[in-house]
Amino acid sequence: MTSNHTDCHYCLQSLRGRKYALREENAYCVTCYDSLFANPCEECKQPIECDSKDLAYKGRHWHEGCFKCAKCSRSLVEKPFAAKDEVLLCTECYSDEYSSKCFHCRKTIMPGSRKMEFKGSSWHESCFVCQYCRQPLGTKPLITKDNENYCVPCFEKQFAHHCYSCKKVITSGGVTYDDQPWHKECFVCAGCKTQLSGQRFISKDEYPYCVDCFSKLYAKKCAACKKPITALGGAKFISFEERQWHGECFKCAKCSVSLVAQGFLTRQDDVLCHECGSA
């Protein structure tokens, strides 16, 4: 022992034949060392003497016997543990109190294990699988039906409709027309190809047409105003000898009185009320 270690650096008493501790190359008797440098134990608040094992975690210190789970009191020495609000818990107690439960198996998702989250719920990685093929979904695209998750290929095989127009799978949304499914973008006027979803249309030979195209292609023309008669919304029209009129256009060619639900006479291409026709 060097001359620097013959006396306690603090109380100057001889260290010969006595235990001592070194700190920054200075020797201290056990009593002085403990009073000057010993860390207080977080559990019992007593100093952790130099001949005791000092267990430290995030700047805090415990006696070996005090380093235990705050809930079940089991020792945490050389065992995995977790901290919550500065309280130490064994992994079992932490899981019971704070860990998520798997949406599928309802068992605890242990700390440190991989957890999958979807729509506010948690799964074990091994439980987050396609309902049909049972393959892990991970971060793959998926579709949910009746609270069950499916990978896209399986969903298409089991449930998806195919568009009547392009024959491809409809994965979401879509339009039903004439008991057939269509993509919104495929449900277009057979004439001008304008999208018809949410628009008025007229059917002809199993195909939909916008009002303008149907009028141009198929609607009969009013014998009076020459405009198409579409009968949309239940509008009235009159037909006589292969000629048609809008309800508001069917009137006497001479005095313009309405002939709807009235008797009338014809003279060449004109229709006349009885008074004008008899004059």
Side-chain angles (χ1 to χ4, degrees):
M1 184 175 296
T2 66
S3 59
N4 290 335
H5 295 166
T6 57
D7 298 323
C8 173
H9 184 71
Y10 186 73
C11 70
L12 303 180
Q13 293 186 22
S14 175
L15 297 178
R16 294 183 182 280
R18 299 171 62 191
K19 289 184 178 180
Y20 64 89
L22 290 175
R23 184 179 178 88
E24 297 178 356
E25 297 186 358
N26 295 315
Y28 297 84
C29 65
V30 172
T31 302
C32 290
Y33 183 90
D34 289 342
S35 64
L36 293 172
F37 307 115
N39 295 306
C41 176
E42 287 287 327
E43 178 66 20
C44 69
K45 310 306 179 186
Q46 297 299 312
I48 304 173
E49 300 170 339
C50 64
D51 57 352
S52 299
K53 195 170 185 178
D54 185 334
L55 300 179
Y57 174 71
K58 289 189 175 180
R60 296 185 294 158
H61 300 265
W62 288 261
H63 290 105
E64 186 174 14
C66 295
F67 194 62
K68 54 190 177 182
C69 174
K71 185 176 181 182
C72 70
S73 298
R74 284 184 290 185
S75 174
L76 298 178
V77 178
E78 297 183 358
K79 292 181 180 178
F81 64 90
K84 179 70 174 178
D85 300 328
E86 297 189 354
V87 174
L88 302 185
L89 299 167
C90 65
T91 53
E92 290 82 359
C93 289
Y94 182 89
S95 298
D96 290 342
E97 290 290 320
Y98 303 109
S99 291
S100 303
K101 299 295 189 294
C102 177
F103 184 83
H104 176 72
C105 70
R106 305 300 178 185
K107 294 181 180 179
T108 298
I109 301 175
M110 299 296 289
S113 61
R114 191 172 183 189
K115 178 175 67 174
M116 308 303 297
E117 294 188 350
F118 179 65
K119 290 187 175 181
S121 298
S122 302
W123 279 263
H124 292 109
E125 185 178 21
S126 58
C127 292
F128 193 57
V129 298
C130 170
Q131 178 66 19
Y132 186 71
C133 69
R134 311 307 299 176
Q135 293 300 307
L137 290 169
T139 57
K140 298 176 184 176
L142 61 92
I143 300 173
T144 300
K145 179 179 174 60
D146 299 331
N147 291 325
E148 299 288 358
N149 300 319
Y150 298 84
C151 63
V152 173
C154 286
F155 182 86
E156 292 179 355
K157 290 177 185 177
Q158 293 294 107
F159 305 110
H161 296 291
H162 288 77
C163 176
Y164 182 77
S165 175
C166 71
K167 311 306 179 185
K168 294 181 180 179
V169 169
I170 300 173
T171 57
S172 63
V175 175
T176 299
Y177 164 67
D178 198 23
D179 294 328
Q180 298 292 345
W182 303 60
H183 289 113
K184 279 187 177 182
E185 59 272 20
C186 292
F187 188 59
V188 297
C189 171
C192 66
K193 307 305 179 184
T194 300
Q195 286 195 23
L196 296 177
S197 179
Q199 307 296 321
R200 293 192 302 176
F201 63 90
I202 302 171
S203 175
K204 174 70 174 175
D205 298 329
E206 298 185 357
Y207 288 97
Y209 292 84
C210 67
V211 175
D212 288 343
C213 285
F214 183 85
S215 298
K216 292 175 183 177
L217 294 172
Y218 300 110
K220 297 182 182 299
K221 303 296 189 295
C222 174
C225 71
K226 309 306 179 183
K227 293 180 179 179
I229 301 173
T230 61
L232 283 175
K236 292 181 179 179
F237 70 96
I238 292 86
S239 179
F240 176 71
E241 291 184 350
E242 298 184 355
R243 291 187 293 166
Q244 289 79 30
W245 291 261
H246 293 109
E248 63 271 19
C249 294
F250 191 58
K251 51 192 176 182
C252 176
K254 187 172 182 181
C255 69
S256 298
V257 67
S258 175
L259 298 178
V260 176
Q262 304 295 323
F264 61 90
L265 301 172
T266 61
R267 181 181 297 166
Q268 296 179 351
D269 291 335
D270 294 332
V271 289
L272 302 167
C273 64
H274 278 295
E275 185 175 346
C276 289
S278 301

